[in-house]
């Protein structure tokens, strides 16, 4: 047999029983958590036309998307790399509600290339979104729910990191030459490359000294809650900057242990307000990312305030301990109606019952047989199985 018959593409892997069970059990718990908080479940399609898939403001989506030709229409379709824009489309175009809408989801997303050298291209993405409310209360609920997500998974002590691309956006808007060089400028600020940033700004014509100084100080504006006080004292008193700092302050009051990094502008082309990430010991990158993205739904014909979060459920589960095997009941194989009725009764009560085929040994890692259904005195009864020494 050729290796090509079982070899999978790079950064794609099977999910084996223990991980699959942990994944499914956690998926159920989290969707229950979201629905108990008033979020309605939706399930967008795995593929759709690229015109709608790329309609949002995410510049990275086209290169992350695997494209195929629809054999019915001849148009190009994409396998979704991110479910969030699809949920935004559902809210804006299909539900079309006037008030607040809370939606949650869980499904497979696929990337054309991995995000990093240890990542998967196939993700199990789960998340929650709030549409139709622009106040900080929605951001607070989303961040609280993100925390509860990790707590439900058994991840405790997660660290919240906050940022706001509106500050950088206000500085860039202060002079046309900055807007034309925004990609390079953003990269230098995000990397905290102050020497290179200073040299780059010196090459630009007409940038006001106050704006140059603000851009140079921005990479150093990170730390605890007091970072916001420092930012107010050193950044220009532009209305957009003051508004962004006010929004950050509202979140910090609720989560005083949060850190702030005003140079973290990775969602510059997407986020319109507060953005955040949750980190935990044992994972090298953020487990949860989210924030406000008010402008995305405009591409679907109806601009709505929006905030939410998502995470790769498979990556989360891979960092957790494998779930303990389930206790199960074993019994012999037979066609006896009384026997089959007893098996069905036990299964309806929530027990796992495995019928062992004749002349075989039941081998698995997911079950521990603690009881056996046997016949005694013409009746099927449960007997305990002594644990192996």
């Amino acid at each position: 047999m050729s290796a090509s018959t079982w070899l999978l593409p790079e950064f794609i892997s099977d999910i084996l029983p223990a991980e699959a069970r942990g994944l499914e059990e956690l998926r159920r718990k989290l969707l229950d958590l979201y629905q108990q908080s008033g979020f309605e479940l939706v399930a967008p399609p795995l593929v759709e036309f690229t015109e709608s898939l790329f309609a949002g403001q995410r510049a990275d989506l086209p290169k992350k998307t695997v494209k195929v030709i629809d054999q019915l229409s001849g148009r190009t379709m994409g396998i979704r790399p991110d479910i969030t824009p699809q949920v935004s489309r559902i809210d804006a175009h299909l539900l079309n509600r006037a008030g607040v809408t809370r939606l949650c989801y869980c499904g497979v997303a696929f990337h054309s290339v991995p995000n990093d050298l240890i990542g998967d291209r196939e993700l199990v993405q789960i998340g929650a979104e709030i549409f139709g409310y622009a106040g900080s209360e929605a951001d607070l609920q989303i961040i609280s729910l993100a925390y509860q997500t990790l707590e439900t998974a058994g991840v405790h002590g997660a660290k919240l990191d906050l940022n706001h691309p509106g500050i950088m956006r206000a500085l860039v808007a202060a002079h046309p030459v900055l807007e034309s060089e925004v990609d390079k400028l953003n990269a230098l600020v995000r990397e905290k490359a102050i020497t290179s940033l200073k040299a780059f700004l010196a090459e630009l014509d007409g940038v006001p000294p106050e704006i140059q100084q603000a851009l140079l100080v921005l990479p150093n504006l990170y730390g605890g809650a007091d970072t916001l006080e420092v930012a107010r004292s050193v950044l220009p008193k532009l209305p957009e900057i003051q508004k962004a700092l006010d929004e950050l302050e509202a979140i910090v009051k609720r989560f005083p242990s949060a850190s702030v990094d005003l140079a973290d502008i990775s969602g510059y082309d997407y986020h319109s307000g507060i953005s955040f990430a949750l980190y935990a010991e044992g994972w090298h990158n953020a487990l949860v990312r989210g924030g406000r993205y008010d402008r995305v739904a405009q591409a679907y014909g109806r601009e709505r305030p929006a905030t939410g979060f998502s995470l790769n459920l498979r990556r989360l589960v891979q960092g957790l301990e494998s779930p303990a095997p389930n206790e199960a009941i074993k019994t012999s194989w037979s066609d006896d109606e009384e026997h089959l009725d007893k098996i069905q009764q036990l299964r309806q009560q929530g027990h796992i019952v495995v019928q062992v085929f004749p002349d075989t040994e039941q081998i698995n890692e997911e079950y521990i047989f603690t009881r056996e259904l046997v016949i005694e005195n013409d009746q099927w009864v449960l007997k305990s199985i002594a644990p192996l020494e």
Side-chain angles (χ1 to χ4, degrees):
M1 180 183 294
S2 169
S4 62
T5 60
W6 56 264
L7 188 64
L8 294 176
E10 287 188 273
F11 299 98
I12 294 176
S13 59
D14 295 303
I15 303 179
L16 301 181
E19 183 185 344
R21 180 162 65 89
L23 191 67
E24 177 60 18
E25 289 176 355
L26 184 55
R27 183 192 70 86
R28 295 177 194 174
K29 289 179 183 178
L30 294 181
L31 290 180
D32 285 345
L33 169 67
Y34 302 159
Q35 290 180 295
Q36 288 162 4
S37 301
F39 289 75
E40 301 170 88
L41 181 64
V42 294
L46 179 63
V47 297
E48 60 178 279
F49 293 127
T50 52
E51 290 92 337
S52 61
L53 204 58
F54 301 159
Q57 306 214 356
R58 290 272 301 278
D60 62 331
L61 286 184
K63 60 185 177 183
K64 283 187 174 182
T65 303
V66 173
K67 304 172 186 67
V68 296
I69 300 299
D70 180 17
Q71 297 300 310
L72 297 179
S73 67
R75 296 169 61 188
T76 303
M77 299 190 302
I79 301 174
R80 64 187 180 200
D82 183 7
I83 302 177
T84 306
Q86 294 183 297
V87 179
S88 183
R89 172 180 56 77
I90 288 174
D91 170 73
H93 183 63
L94 297 179
L95 296 179
N96 198 28
R97 295 171 180 171
V100 173
T101 300
R102 294 176 173 87
L103 300 177
C104 63
Y105 61 87
C106 184
V108 171
F110 189 80
H111 289 178
S112 57
V113 293
N115 286 332
D116 52 55
L117 295 177
I118 62 172
D120 285 308
R121 294 162 65 189
E122 184 181 28
L123 293 68
V124 179
Q125 185 179 343
I126 192 168
E129 319 291 331
I130 299 177
F131 301 95
Y133 191 81
S136 63
E137 294 86 351
D139 300 301
L140 288 168
Q141 182 178 24
I142 282 295
I143 295 174
S144 295
L145 195 59
Y147 264 118
Q148 291 176 61
T149 294
L150 296 186
E151 289 286 337
T152 300
V155 179
H156 308 295
K159 302 298 183 183
L160 175 65
D161 186 68
L162 296 168
N163 49 80
H164 199 307
I167 294 173
M168 183 65 176
R169 201 171 283 124
L171 294 174
V172 168
H175 197 278
V177 71
L178 295 177
E179 293 185 323
S180 66
E181 299 286 352
V182 66
D183 290 341
K184 184 172 183 179
L185 191 62
N186 281 345
L188 292 172
V189 171
R190 189 168 58 245
E191 294 164 8
K192 296 180 170 39
I194 297 177
T195 301
S196 299
L197 177 60
K198 186 174 183 179
F200 178 64
L201 290 172
E203 297 173 359
L204 303 179
D205 295 327
V207 179
E210 181 186 39
I211 301 300
Q212 290 194 48
Q213 183 58 34
L215 290 168
L216 290 171
V217 78
L218 199 60
N220 289 319
L221 291 176
Y222 63 91
D226 57 350
T227 302
L228 299 179
E229 297 178 17
V230 176
R232 289 188 189 278
S233 66
V234 299
L235 292 178
K237 309 301 181 185
L238 298 172
E240 296 86 352
I241 291 179
Q242 299 306 309
K243 180 176 181 292
L245 293 173
D246 290 343
E247 291 174 359
L248 285 165
E249 194 170 85
I251 304 299
V252 170
K253 283 181 179 178
R254 175 75 170 271
F255 302 100
S257 64
S259 60
V260 177
D261 186 352
L262 300 186
D264 183 2
I265 48 176
S266 52
Y268 182 87
D269 63 337
Y270 179 70
H271 287 296
S272 60
I274 291 286
S275 59
F276 69 91
L278 284 174
Y279 295 84
E281 187 175 347
W283 285 267
H284 72 288
N285 279 329
L287 273 177
V288 182
R289 289 193 180 275
R292 184 161 286 280
Y293 55 102
D294 294 344
R295 300 188 305 272
V296 170
Q298 184 178 18
Y300 303 113
R302 184 169 178 252
E303 185 170 336
R304 293 257 281 170
T307 184
F309 70 87
S310 67
L311 65 147
N312 180 1
L313 192 58
R314 185 175 183 186
R315 181 165 164 264
L316 172 59
V317 168
Q318 287 171 339
L320 301 173
E321 290 186 10
S322 296
N326 284 316
E327 293 187 2
I329 300 166
K330 76 173 180 177
T331 190
S332 60
W333 180 267
S334 81
D335 293 324
D336 180 77
E337 289 189 9
E338 186 179 342
H339 185 204
L340 296 176
D341 288 343
K342 183 65 175 179
I343 291 171
Q344 187 64 17
Q345 180 184 357
L346 288 168
R347 287 173 175 165
Q348 288 175 348
Q349 293 171 358
H351 299 291
I352 299 169
V353 183
V354 179
Q355 281 189 281
V356 179
F357 295 129
D359 302 319
T360 62
E361 182 181 355
Q362 184 70 30
I363 300 175
N364 57 62
E365 299 173 351
E366 284 298 286
Y367 307 128
I368 294 178
F369 292 119
T370 57
R371 290 182 292 175
E372 186 173 11
L373 181 62
V374 298
I375 190 164
E376 286 188 354
N377 300 321
D378 295 326
Q379 290 196 355
W380 291 95
V381 296
L382 285 173
K383 299 192 71 174
S384 296
I385 297 175
L388 297 174
E389 295 296 335

